[in-house]
Amino acid sequence: MKLEIGEITIKDVTLADETALNDGHLTINKQDLIDIVLEDDRLASADVQLAKPGEKTRITPVKDVIEPRCKVDSESGIFPGVISKVNEVGQGRTHVMKGIGVTTVGKIVGFQEGIIDMSGPGAEKTPFSQIINICLVINPTEDLKTHSYEEAVRLAGLRVATFIGKLAEEIEPDEVKTFETKPLVEQMNEYPDLPKVGYVYMLQTQGLLHDTYVYGTDAKHIVPTLLYPTEVMDGAIISGNCVSACDKNTTYHHLNNPIIEDLYARHGKDINFVGVIITNETVYLADKERSSDFTSKLAEFIGLDGVIISQEGFGNPDTDLIMNSTKIEKKGIDTVIVTDEYAGRDGASQSLADADPLANAAVTGGNANETILLPAMDRLIGTLDYVDVIAGGFDGSLQASGEIEVEIQAITGATNELGFNRMSARGV
């Protein structure tokens, strides 16, 4: 598959009488977006607010962030199986609005929603402080069940992002990037002397608001399978997660997976990037055994020499991570795992809930239990009602001064296990 990504840099976003895109300036009519949100009668009210980098603005509780984009000259549509028909994506031309995100905010769906600060020390922990957030503050109808509210908010965000993304359909991109993965035999023959590398993409699927969707299907119901990397870049995978904010893969993360982009950058130079194996993170042991067996079997079947494995979440999924790594290693295939740590506030506890000597090469996104003091902000988008109870918060997190003391677990994207975060390591 060959995919062209046409990037259109958004210089600014303002509220106006018309929703339009001109010369990199996006104007938004609030009522246009509110009407789209309220197409779902499960939602009682909505508001649209903008948050820009450097502002003393706090957004919480955040559920998802979605990058607006659209297919160009294609029968396929963005977010197939959810917003568009279940048509194959990953090829043709897609236009992307860079520098903005549609951010869903509102009364808490699950206790693992997050915080985005647009300035201060919290902003240094999240990549979303660097983009303009088009915030949809959404309130449910009375007594709406939590799972139904999650679905309504998820779909509202995707509908709005699609509406905005279509404004870029006729715009000439600032830059066009091309990504291509050929059918397996052809791919192998093109670079026969380079090591064959694949990517095992673990998707959060523990249920109870811990879900990820592939072409509209809840990934807990799949067995591991192969995808072209370009399918991921083109909206085949979306987030339905209310997992800890620090290592949640939002839809924005899936669309801009840095592991896939980095592997493409090295493809044909020092590696042959063969493709992506998607797998789930299930709850029961038998399901974990089945999925890890399939994952290692696929890695062997397509002849990989090395594999990068990324995780989402922590605790129970640590077992899936170690099972995948050890079984693939036993096939004679080198593995590197990408994860984060829950090592206690002092960093002295065991980082993962599971371990094995064969899983001996790891990249970490940081210790999610590290604490941080977030200063008071001049403006709030959403509500502070849940700061004490979100994952990473505790009784007394919200202080009378307006400051918030939390673990960085509460900050959206702080320790993201795709490496899509702002922290790094240094030698001492």
Side-chain angles (χ1 to χ4, degrees):
M1 283 188 173
K2 184 176 181 179
L3 177 66
E4 292 182 337
I5 297 286
E7 296 187 349
I8 298 160
T9 301
I10 304 302
K11 303 169 186 174
D12 196 14
V13 182
T14 56
L15 299 177
D17 293 333
E18 180 186 19
T19 301
L21 177 60
N22 294 292
D23 193 27
H25 183 191
L26 175 65
T27 57
I28 291 176
N29 180 304
K30 287 177 62 170
Q31 195 60 47
D32 287 345
L33 305 194
I34 291 171
D35 288 345
I36 292 171
V37 171
L38 298 184
E39 288 173 4
D40 194 321
D41 60 13
R42 294 174 292 183
L43 301 175
S45 65
D47 190 21
V48 178
Q49 299 187 48
L50 304 179
K52 301 182 181 182
E55 294 179 344
K56 291 185 177 181
T57 298
R58 174 164 293 142
I59 315 168
T60 190
V62 173
K63 184 189 185 299
D64 198 11
V65 185
I66 309 152
E67 186 174 59
R69 50 182 61 199
C70 69
K71 296 298 293 179
V72 178
D73 298 327
S74 173
E75 293 183 1
S76 300
I78 206 69
F79 308 127
V82 183
I83 298 300
S84 306
K85 293 181 179 179
V86 189
N87 289 329
E88 191 174 67
V89 294
Q91 56 193 339
R93 170 74 75 90
T94 298
H95 283 181
V96 180
M97 291 185 180
K98 303 304 293 186
I100 64 172
V102 173
T103 303
T104 49
V105 191
K107 292 182 178 180
I108 203 159
V109 174
F111 71 94
Q112 294 173 310
E113 310 299 356
I115 299 169
I116 297 174
D117 280 358
M118 300 305 292
S119 63
E124 296 174 5
K125 301 292 187 184
T126 174
F128 300 116
S129 64
Q130 305 302 299
I131 65 172
I132 299 172
N133 290 271
I134 303 167
C135 299
L136 307 178
V137 185
I138 301 173
N139 295 308
T141 55
E142 190 174 356
D143 297 327
L144 184 66
K145 297 294 185 182
T146 304
H147 69 277
S148 188
Y149 179 32
E150 185 281 322
E151 180 184 50
V153 171
R154 169 167 31 99
L155 296 177
L158 294 169
R159 290 197 305 274
V160 169
T162 302
F163 170 75
I164 293 173
K166 286 181 179 178
L167 299 173
E169 187 172 12
E170 304 297 330
I171 303 295
E172 185 64 29
D174 300 303
E175 182 179 6
V176 177
K177 298 178 180 178
T178 302
F179 304 90
E180 184 175 17
T181 297
K182 298 177 180 178
L184 187 60
V185 174
E186 192 176 347
Q187 183 92 4
M188 298 297 192
N189 290 335
E190 187 174 17
Y191 301 109
D193 299 325
L194 294 179
K196 298 177 287 296
V197 176
Y199 172 35
V200 173
Y201 197 177
M202 292 173 54
L203 307 177
Q204 175 60 252
T205 56
Q206 291 178 282
L208 297 176
L209 308 180
H210 292 51
D211 298 304
T212 304
Y213 297 86
V214 180
Y215 281 94
T217 295
D218 189 332
K220 72 165 64 70
H221 302 305
I222 70 169
V223 293
T225 190
L226 291 166
L227 287 184
Y228 282 95
T230 53
E231 292 179 88
V232 180
M233 305 172 86
D234 215 17
I237 299 176
I238 64 167
S239 173
N241 287 340
C242 302
V243 298
S244 289
C246 64
D247 51 21
K248 172 194 294 190
N249 289 336
T250 67
T251 300
Y252 191 105
H253 285 104
H254 290 301
L255 293 168
N256 296 279
N257 185 311
I259 295 175
I260 290 176
E261 292 188 9
D262 286 352
L263 287 171
Y264 264 128
R266 296 179 61 175
H267 176 64
K269 298 174 182 176
D270 57 355
I271 65 168
N272 185 349
F273 180 27
V274 174
V276 175
I277 299 170
I278 59 169
T279 185
N280 44 27
E281 299 175 354
T282 54
V283 176
Y284 298 109
L285 181 59
D287 295 328
K288 293 177 184 295
E289 294 282 9
R290 180 187 305 109
S291 289
S292 55
D293 282 348
F294 267 75
T295 299
S296 61
K297 179 173 62 178
L298 283 170
E300 180 185 45
F301 183 61
I302 62 177
L304 297 179
D305 299 307
V307 164
I308 295 175
I309 309 172
S310 70
Q311 181 184 12
E312 183 176 11
F314 69 99
N316 186 291
D318 292 349
T319 299
D320 301 87
L321 176 69
I322 298 303
M323 280 185 172
N324 285 322
S325 179
T326 56
K327 289 181 180 181
I328 293 171
E329 285 276 353
K330 288 176 181 177
K331 300 284 189 182
I333 302 168
D334 294 331
T335 66
V336 176
I337 61 176
V338 187
T339 183
D340 63 355
E341 304 171 56
Y342 285 77
R345 294 179 185 178
D346 59 0
S349 300
Q350 180 174 317
S351 296
L352 298 177
D354 200 355
D356 189 280
L358 290 176
N360 59 7
V363 177
T364 175
N367 179 17
N369 295 134
E370 174 189 333
T371 57
I372 189 171
L373 183 63
L374 303 176
M377 293 282 155
D378 293 342
R379 177 170 168 242
L380 172 68
I381 298 176
T383 177
L384 295 174
D385 292 351
Y386 307 103
V387 168
D388 286 359
V389 297
I390 58 176
F394 47 86
D395 188 24
S397 281
L398 180 60
Q399 302 177 7
S401 63
E403 295 175 311
I404 300 174
E405 183 180 5
V406 287
E407 296 179 352
I408 62 172
Q409 182 180 174
I411 298 174
T412 302
T415 64
N416 180 260
E417 294 162 293
L418 303 177
F420 199 128
N421 54 7
R422 304 196 70 203
M423 293 195 294
S424 61
R426 65 178 180 180
V428 294

